[in-house]
Amino acid sequence: MLLDEDPLETLSIDTRLPCAERAQSIHEDEGKATVELASIMTTASNPVSPGPSSPPLDQGRMQDFVPPTRPSSTPFPQPEQRNTDITCLSCPGDSAMDLDEPDGAGYEAVLAPSKIEGVDLNDLPAEIHECILDHLFGFRVSPTSKSSVTRWGTALRHSRRKELSELALVSTIWRTLIQERLYRHIKLKATIESFNDAFSYFALHPHLRSYVRHIEIWFPVFQPKYGPLALSSTNTLPTVTVDGLTNATYILPSDNCSLEEAFYFVSETFPEVYVITLEGGERKKAPMVKHWIRGEEEPPRAMPRVASVRTLICKGQWNLIRGEDDFDVIMSAFPNLREWHASYSKPKSKSYLTMADIFLRPMNLESLNICLESDYRREPTVPPFYLKVAQKVHVCQRLAQAAASPSLEHLSYTGRICKQFFYDLMAKHRDPRASRLKSIDITVKNCCRQVMHWNETGSGITDMNFINAFEQLVLAGIRALGKLKGVEYLRIRYVDLDSPVPPLNPYFLLHDGWCSGVWSEAIVAELNRVRPTTQFEDLSESFGEVGFNKDGRMTISPEFPKSRALSLKLSNYALLSGGISIS
């Protein structure tokens, strides 16, 4: 560029030219600028010389290079053909950049801001909605799940149902998802008035009926009876009702419905229910739940069937089932039942005797959960009520009869048991291939055993007679694994809520090829014989540090004061007997 030239004249564009000639003039000016820039960047005009140029690459060797072939195991064996054109998504398209529009619409399109559409909540994937609601409600378990961790007997409804019900107003999608969770588990009072209200409600909202998967029906064992108005000045506080101040006394319920009415209501109202809970209640001299609407003089008829139910939970079962006939009537309503949970509120001799008779009945169940005693505390001696049971029947033998069912896969039992259960179970399983049993979970209240004196029948970690009987129970359970090839989970535990050191409560656990809990030379040898590939996680020789206090009494400081012990040597329990204090 010459110094006497006017720069404005060199870079000026004649706008009077047509569009095509104007574009040609622009391209010519760009060519001139490129030539001038190349002359400036030459080596001669650059005061700092870059030095000799690099030697040229061997073009022959570059052509010999062959890229490796992608293995066929890769998810994408062929390279992806990507578009190398870079496009700005926020810029307007080529049609908007047309500057030759006669009305200047091209300039308006360039200057106008791009319109960005917002994302609606309903546009999110269904998985995102499920994750959000699972975080608020908790993860759901399928009603047809066969997992051993599913404890339907203790399953509760969501505690914040009223607060979370307002989330149904967020969107139409959330309304369906919230209602599915809110009505998944409902609880009804087994009275005529309550059932009539529920029937009217679901008749007005029929789309909610298919959401119910688990229904609880509880039968009241008493009802208040209000007396005349009590406005006098008394020391006792009266009950406040809608009608005013009254004195109330509690009497037997008069509005309770029967099982026939309850099953008919469930079968006609909830087509997708899988789990049903019957709660009989508990009180002194509680009345038994009525099974039929008819009177005693009317002929018997069949119980309404609920074909969709797979799991039956009976709480306070003494008020529901008091004999074999009651059991047959209830089971006839569930032809497709696969899981049964039975629990009693208080230990009774009649509970053991009733279940001993029921164990002899044929049951086409896959999972059986029986809880005869839920008081997890040690006892100094066997209570008198169980002495009546022992004189009539040996419950362990009857339980083995139920566990030998060809369809049973999971067994859970809480109550009194001894080694005879496993011996009879092995005798009934002569062909190991015919057994489908996979898990056995036993919670020991006490071990039935022969003793010389009545004061030797207690339980607890300080009672060596109980510890020896517990060892024999574990040995029998391990020996039974030789016949029960399909059992992958075996737990035998003793729970004492009043134990001075809860981690010392004896237990034995076999799961996933590993064992933990109590051990002895006999237990280890028997385990190596029946399951050579199974071994203990740890074999510790002591419970912890042993010392003496200022009174001269021995004290034990466990190595695991707040954690579960993986190794409990049975011979060390002898140190806990004889008035030993545990610190």
Side-chain angles (χ1 to χ4, degrees), residues 371-388:
C371 179
L372 293 174
E373 295 190 54
S374 57
D375 182 21
Y376 301 105
R377 286 178 173 82
R378 65 178 181 270
E379 54 187 16
T381 58
V382 174
F385 81 87
Y386 192 74
L387 297 178
K388 301 178 183 179

Side-chain angles (χ1 to χ4, degrees), residues 9 12-23 25-26:
E9 182 181 355
S12 61
I13 300 176
D14 191 0
T15 57
R16 295 171 298 178
L17 297 175
C19 179
E21 297 180 7
R22 190 191 320 144
S25 175
I26 293 175

Side-chain angles (χ1 to χ4, degrees), residues 275-405:
V275 184
I276 182 171
T277 298
L278 303 177
E279 188 172 350
E282 179 61 33
R283 60 163 285 181
K284 188 177 181 180
K285 298 181 179 180
M288 183 177 176
V289 175
K290 295 188 303 181
H291 287 190
W292 306 97
I293 308 175
R294 62 179 174 84
E296 298 180 356
E297 63 281 357
E298 297 183 15
R301 53 179 178 267
M303 186 69 73
R305 292 194 172 189
V306 190
S308 61
V309 170
R310 302 292 187 272
T311 302
L312 171 64
I313 305 164
C314 296
K315 298 180 179 180
Q317 185 169 275
W318 175 245
N319 296 336
L320 298 169
I321 300 176
R322 297 186 180 181
E324 299 177 67
D325 296 337
D326 301 334
F327 172 77
D328 293 337
V329 167
I330 293 180
M331 290 300 166
S332 65
F334 310 107
N336 299 320
L337 192 66
R338 293 294 176 265
E339 186 174 352
W340 180 34
H341 296 248
S343 62
Y344 290 85
S345 303
K346 293 183 179 180
K348 297 180 181 180
S349 59
K350 295 180 180 179
S351 302
Y352 276 93
L353 295 175
T354 301
M355 289 304 304
D357 295 336
I358 293 176
F359 287 151
L360 298 178
R361 313 289 290 185
M363 294 181 290
N364 190 23
L365 299 175
E366 296 179 357
S367 179
L368 180 62
N369 190 315
I370 304 297
C371 179
L372 293 174
E373 295 190 54
S374 57
D375 182 21
Y376 301 105
R377 286 178 173 82
R378 65 178 181 270
E379 54 187 16
T381 58
V382 174
F385 81 87
Y386 192 74
L387 297 178
K388 301 178 183 179
V389 179
Q391 293 174 359
K392 295 183 178 181
V393 65
H394 194 176
V395 180
C396 302
Q397 296 177 349
R398 299 290 182 88
L399 180 62
Q401 178 73 22
S405 174

Side-chain angles (χ1 to χ4, degrees), residues 128-150:
I128 302 298
H129 294 288
E130 295 286 351
C131 290
I132 296 174
L133 297 181
D134 286 342
H135 176 73
L136 298 176
F137 282 79
F139 292 95
R140 296 178 295 175
V141 180
S142 174
T144 58
S145 174
K146 296 183 180 180
S147 176
S148 58
V149 272
T150 306

Side-chain angles (χ1 to χ4, degrees), residues 161-393:
R161 296 171 62 89
K162 294 183 178 180
E163 293 83 353
L164 294 178
S165 62
E166 299 179 356
L167 296 177
L169 304 176
V170 172
S171 66
T172 55
I173 295 181
W174 274 41
R175 181 179 61 184
T176 302
L177 298 177
I178 292 293
Q179 288 178 349
E180 285 181 352
R181 285 163 170 80
L182 288 179
Y183 290 92
R184 182 182 180 86
H185 183 179
I186 65 175
K187 187 173 183 178
L188 297 177
K189 186 178 180 181
T191 60
I192 302 298
E193 180 182 2
S194 178
F195 275 16
N196 289 337
D197 294 342
F199 189 83
S200 302
Y201 179 81
F202 284 101
L204 296 176
H205 308 84
H207 66 285
L208 302 176
R209 297 164 52 193
S210 60
Y211 297 158
V212 178
R213 297 291 188 272
H214 183 183
I215 178 173
E216 287 190 55
I217 301 176
W218 66 281
F219 294 84
V221 294
F222 55 83
Q223 69 179 14
K225 179 182 179 181
Y226 299 104
L229 295 179
L231 300 177
S232 60
S233 58
T234 57
N235 295 329
T236 59
L237 295 177
T239 304
V240 179
T241 63
V242 179
D243 301 331
L245 300 177
T246 62
N247 288 328
T249 58
Y250 293 93
I251 60 175
L252 294 179
S254 60
D255 192 35
N256 283 11
C257 65
S258 62
L259 287 177
E260 182 182 6
E261 295 170 300
F263 294 160
Y264 178 80
F265 169 77
V266 174
S267 62
E268 295 295 328
T269 308
F270 308 116
E272 301 294 336
V273 64
Y274 291 103
V275 184
I276 182 171
T277 298
L278 303 177
E279 188 172 350
E282 179 61 33
R283 60 163 285 181
K284 188 177 181 180
K285 298 181 179 180
M288 183 177 176
V289 175
K290 295 188 303 181
H291 287 190
W292 306 97
I293 308 175
R294 62 179 174 84
E296 298 180 356
E297 63 281 357
E298 297 183 15
R301 53 179 178 267
M303 186 69 73
R305 292 194 172 189
V306 190
S308 61
V309 170
R310 302 292 187 272
T311 302
L312 171 64
I313 305 164
C314 296
K315 298 180 179 180
Q317 185 169 275
W318 175 245
N319 296 336
L320 298 169
I321 300 176
R322 297 186 180 181
E324 299 177 67
D325 296 337
D326 301 334
F327 172 77
D328 293 337
V329 167
I330 293 180
M331 290 300 166
S332 65
F334 310 107
N336 299 320
L337 192 66
R338 293 294 176 265
E339 186 174 352
W340 180 34
H341 296 248
S343 62
Y344 290 85
S345 303
K346 293 183 179 180
K348 297 180 181 180
S349 59
K350 295 180 180 179
S351 302
Y352 276 93
L353 295 175
T354 301
M355 289 304 304
D357 295 336
I358 293 176
F359 287 151
L360 298 178
R361 313 289 290 185
M363 294 181 290
N364 190 23
L365 299 175
E366 296 179 357
S367 179
L368 180 62
N369 190 315
I370 304 297
C371 179
L372 293 174
E373 295 190 54
S374 57
D375 182 21
Y376 301 105
R377 286 178 173 82
R378 65 178 181 270
E379 54 187 16
T381 58
V382 174
F385 81 87
Y386 192 74
L387 297 178
K388 301 178 183 179
V389 179
Q391 293 174 359
K392 295 183 178 181
V393 65

